[in-house]
Amino acid sequence: MTFLNHKYQELTPYTPGEQVDEQVYIKLNTNENPYPPAPSVQQAVSEAAQKLNRYSDIAVETVAKPLAHYLGVKQEQLFLGNGSDEVLSYLFQGFTEKGIAFPDVTYGFYQVYSNLYQVETQIVPLKKDFSLELSEYDELKGTVIFANPNAPTGIYLAQEEICEFLTHHPDRLVVVDEAYTDFGSQSMVSLIDQYKNLFVVGTFSKSRQLAGARLGFGVGNTELIADLNRLRFSLNPYNVNSLSQAAGGAVLQEQAYVDQKIQETIRVREWSKKELARLGFEQTDSQGNFLFAKHPKVAGEKLFTSLRENNILVRWFDQPRIKEYLRITVGTQEQMERLINVLTTIIEEVTV
């Protein structure tokens, strides 16, 4: 016997990356930042913990004011959420009345939210090289959403192509999920005033080292933000807790530290690409903090399980188009050197 509403009984939830003891495993499976936040951020959280007897600020002023300044937007063009996943959830719940379209290989939560909110969904296959062609969305209806750079492929769609689509479809909301944009691609945020049908989603989880804080944001026209807040105040006005607000406000004062770690991640990413190519891997030109690669002589599942046996976790998706690929988070230089050494041994053993 179940008490769950029948319309949810077939719901397939999102499968997050495995969390493990990092003293045992090298964790390259969830696209987290391998570097801890700056000491001042940790201190700010510690101080905020002394006031947990009070509710958090519903305006999230500690984050909203400096974030708006950094992004070059008005505070009323910002929406703060409990991770970018919550921002996405509100979008699927409230802005998909005419349906939604997204790629077949992309962030798994898009399909989960479509099912949860029972949205009419149109899945558009990526090209053979995993590139996104927006012209294939021209004849569809409703909202369009895509990650840019895409996950798990890491491929980036140029700004001018997005602008062309926005111009041709002013009556359709276009959501650009920019979780990974800080690692080498161009953000659409500066174009918010130019395109009223553009909404950009961002996160503090990746480049700002705050995955555990659960802090995300959206940027759009003031009317859209007001509607999002109508939904938020109807469900959970205190959605961003005090510790996350403290962490977010503090990390925005540490941009030099954040930028330094971004550049280090990019450097290690490009080094890792070359090393994987040397081992014979085929890979996309990822612009995220992860790699997407397959080996022509070793199955993806085999590589995944062999790496795990060597205490290295990566992500493997048992999906037809990408089952031979691994998504590998870019870790520290030391971690990636260990990965390359283990992969070298695995490949030698299998192909000898």
Side-chain angles (χ1 to χ4, degrees):
M1 180 178 180
T2 178
F3 294 101
L4 180 65
N5 189 313
H6 75 278
K7 65 182 180 180
Y8 298 130
Q9 289 178 14
E10 301 301 320
L11 189 66
T12 301
Y14 177 73
T15 303
E18 186 178 1
Q19 299 294 327
V20 293
D21 183 352
E22 292 188 59
Q23 293 184 335
V24 177
Y25 290 91
I26 294 177
K27 195 171 183 299
L28 306 176
N29 64 329
T30 50
N31 293 351
E32 296 152 316
N33 199 305
Y35 309 105
S40 63
V41 178
Q42 300 176 44
Q43 181 61 33
V45 173
S46 178
E47 292 174 2
Q50 308 306 311
K51 302 178 182 179
L52 286 178
N53 56 311
R54 301 300 184 190
Y55 285 111
S56 59
D57 174 19
I58 59 174
V60 201
E61 187 78 12
T62 301
V63 179
K65 186 174 182 180
L67 180 59
H69 177 76
Y70 175 77
L71 296 175
V73 300
K74 301 173 184 176
Q75 279 185 239
E76 55 265 35
Q77 293 176 308
L78 272 179
F79 180 84
L80 278 299
N82 186 337
S84 60
D85 289 333
E86 185 186 44
V87 182
L88 293 170
S89 176
Y90 280 126
L91 288 168
F92 274 79
Q93 180 183 23
F95 299 85
T96 56
E97 186 176 5
K98 296 180 180 180
I100 194 165
F102 51 81
D104 63 333
V105 179
T106 191
Y107 185 35
F109 245 131
Y110 301 162
Q111 185 63 66
V112 172
Y113 285 145
S114 292
N115 295 340
L116 176 63
Y117 296 117
Q118 301 186 353
V119 178
E120 181 181 347
T121 306
Q122 300 167 98
I123 308 297
V124 183
L126 294 174
K127 296 297 188 183
K128 186 176 181 180
D129 63 357
F130 297 120
S131 61
L132 172 67
E133 180 57 66
L134 278 179
S135 64
E136 296 181 351
Y137 293 72
D138 282 338
E139 302 304 318
L140 305 181
K141 63 179 182 178
T143 299
V144 174
I145 185 171
F146 56 92
N148 199 38
N150 192 23
T153 67
I155 295 176
Y156 167 67
L157 183 64
Q159 189 180 81
E160 53 266 27
E161 296 183 49
I162 302 173
C163 291
E164 182 179 359
F165 187 85
L166 287 162
T167 300
H168 290 162
H169 301 280
D171 59 338
R172 296 175 65 186
L173 180 64
V174 177
V175 180
V176 184
D177 186 350
E178 294 189 344
Y180 302 101
T181 194
D182 289 339
F183 297 103
S185 56
Q186 190 174 15
S187 174
M188 295 291 292
V189 167
S190 63
L191 301 175
I192 287 296
D193 289 330
Q194 186 173 340
Y195 298 101
K196 299 301 182 183
N197 56 328
L198 170 65
F199 189 82
V200 179
V201 179
T203 181
F204 282 63
S205 295
K206 311 303 181 182
S207 63
R208 293 186 174 88
Q209 304 106 17
L210 293 182
R214 309 312 302 131
L215 183 60
F217 63 92
V219 190
N221 70 70
T222 55
E223 292 83 3
L224 202 159
I225 298 300
D227 287 336
L228 279 167
N229 276 314
R230 185 186 307 182
L231 293 176
R232 176 170 73 99
F233 275 78
S234 299
L235 178 64
N236 182 17
Y238 301 104
N239 63 328
V240 181
N241 69 70
S242 298
L243 302 186
S244 296
Q245 292 191 31
V251 80
L252 287 165
Q253 306 304 317
E254 291 286 356
Q255 195 59 46
Y257 177 90
V258 169
D259 289 341
Q260 178 189 17
K261 299 307 181 185
I262 289 173
Q263 291 306 311
E264 177 64 6
T265 298
I266 293 173
R267 185 194 68 77
V268 176
R269 180 187 71 197
E270 296 307 307
W271 177 88
S272 301
K273 283 181 182 178
K274 293 178 181 177
E275 291 298 304
L276 287 173
R278 180 180 61 80
L279 292 176
F281 278 87
E282 301 170 10
Q283 55 192 315
T284 59
D285 184 21
S286 175
Q287 298 302 303
N289 67 334
F290 56 89
L291 305 166
F292 194 59
K294 70 174 182 178
H295 199 280
K297 297 181 179 180
V298 189
E301 185 176 12
K302 168 64 177 176
L303 289 169
F304 168 74
T305 55
S306 296
L307 285 170
R308 186 182 177 83
E309 290 167 0
N310 283 274
N311 296 335
I312 299 176
L313 294 185
V314 297
R315 197 74 189 268
W316 174 67
F317 300 94
D318 189 10
Q319 301 174 20
R321 290 193 68 185
I322 59 175
K323 68 182 302 180
E324 298 307 328
Y325 283 83
L326 300 179
R327 192 198 68 191
I328 306 168
T329 304
V330 177
T332 64
Q333 180 71 40
E334 180 182 14
Q335 289 173 332
M336 300 309 283
E337 288 176 0
R338 170 64 179 162
L339 170 75
I340 295 299
N341 289 338
V342 172
L343 283 174
T344 300
T345 301
I346 293 170
I347 293 168
E348 287 176 351
E349 291 176 348
V350 172
T351 60
V352 66

